[in-house]
Amino acid sequence: MTLDAAQGGPDLRGRIRAMVHGVAFGDAMGAPVEKLSAAEIRERYGRVTSLRTAWHRDGQDEVQRKGRVRGHGITTDDTAMTLSLMRIYAAERRHLDAWDMATGMVREIAWESRWVPELQRVTPLIERLFYPEKWIFQRLQLSGCDPRQGGVGNMVNCGATMYIAPVGAVNACNPRAAYDEAINFAAGHQQSYGLEAAGAFAAAVARAFVPGATLDEVVRTAHDLAHDGTRSAIAEVVAAAEDLRRKGAGAEEVTEVLHRAIAPFSPMGDDVAHGPEKAGRATAAYQPSRLLSIEELPLALGFCITAGGDFRQAVVDGINSGRDTDSIGVMVGAILGAMHGPEVIDPEDAALLDSANRLTLAADADRFAEAVADIMEGDAARATDIAAGRRILLQTTFERSAE
């Protein structure tokens, strides 16, 4: 199936390949500098522009590194969970909801063993996941709660948003459906503005698949479908980014201004590391709120704008801004990958991502694309049936009115 061959643009398979590449590329670019501030990145690296970058924790002992390795193309849980969601779609061949989080995703993270690049061994992914993602197993298997309530009580973060791009692909060209499905599925994992961002991001990815879509249309879609603090944060960051773009601002000014724009909605700031000094203190950044937003999605949209939609520049600018660099890179990469298609895939980068992580990203993307095509064809058949039924209802209604 090709969605847009008539327009001469990338087809569905090509866009999905580019989206998946964008996820892995943005993730691996940001992973070596995650949790550093922008100033710390400048001090240590100058500016990170290549996948072949050493992790800032290289040289620490294994305990300090939590047994992990990063750098030189290694991806994190963002990519691993994105691939997990793609496998669930490939197996089910239908739209997903919270019950699939409770079955498919629990199996993927807790009961399937695969190569985990950061741990350099074959193991269930849960051994690598952060606590808000381990929550999926805790709530949906060990606690056995209603899947729709799985996210209740979880630490609010970007964990659902970081892997939700495949929902946008499944609902390509239908942002409202992407938003709804992302919310239905990720409700088994996240709550509040952590859930809201997942819906808005999936919608943006779905809009990016529309042939000829502009970046302005993609950004406006995310804003218009978002609610509460997420919508307000997107509006503020986008307004700032558009002004910076008009001024031709440099990278340091862009980061400073965008961080200032997101600050009222995200108390996180540069203090993103967890340690014993924070024991017993739950920060406001991770509590449910209708006023707050995760940082990563609004900032990702902002960097897309200031880079003028240029894939590589937007990823590089985003990951050099510090903080949750890998997830910002993932969101930028997914949106612009889906929008531009295979032209964003550098063969050398793609080869490094595959070799460093023991992956076959193009083949994984193609298998997922086949499932997406099947789901789309089912959607089209249902839409035809619905339209036919409505025509009959309308026709008979007005015929009776005429009598």
Side-chain angles (χ1 to χ4, degrees), residues 161 201 215 219 234 237-238 241 258 262 294-307 309-310 314-315 317-319 321 324-336:
T161 313
F201 177 51
L215 180 58
V219 171
I234 291 172
V237 171
V238 165
L258 294 189
I262 196 66
I294 65 165
E295 289 195 353
E296 295 84 351
L297 177 59
L299 289 176
L301 295 172
F303 287 115
C304 286
I305 292 168
T306 57
D310 181 272
V315 171
D317 288 350
I319 65 98
S321 70
D324 192 7
T325 49
D326 55 336
S327 293
I328 293 171
V330 162
M331 294 175 206
V332 171
I335 289 171
L336 295 182

Side-chain angles (χ1 to χ4, degrees), residues 87-130:
R87 284 190 290 268
I88 296 169
Y89 274 119
E92 299 297 335
R93 254 36 185 205
R94 58 171 172 76
H95 293 287
L96 305 180
D97 57 27
W99 280 266
D100 297 295
M101 180 71 77
T103 54
M105 190 59 84
V106 167
R107 282 197 296 266
E108 280 287 328
I109 67 173
W111 299 109
E112 296 289 340
S113 292
R114 293 186 174 87
W115 180 258
V116 177
E118 289 176 283
L119 301 180
Q120 292 289 288
R121 56 190 169 91
V122 175
T123 187
L125 180 57
I126 198 168
E127 296 298 322
R128 158 60 186 85
L129 296 179
F130 189 33

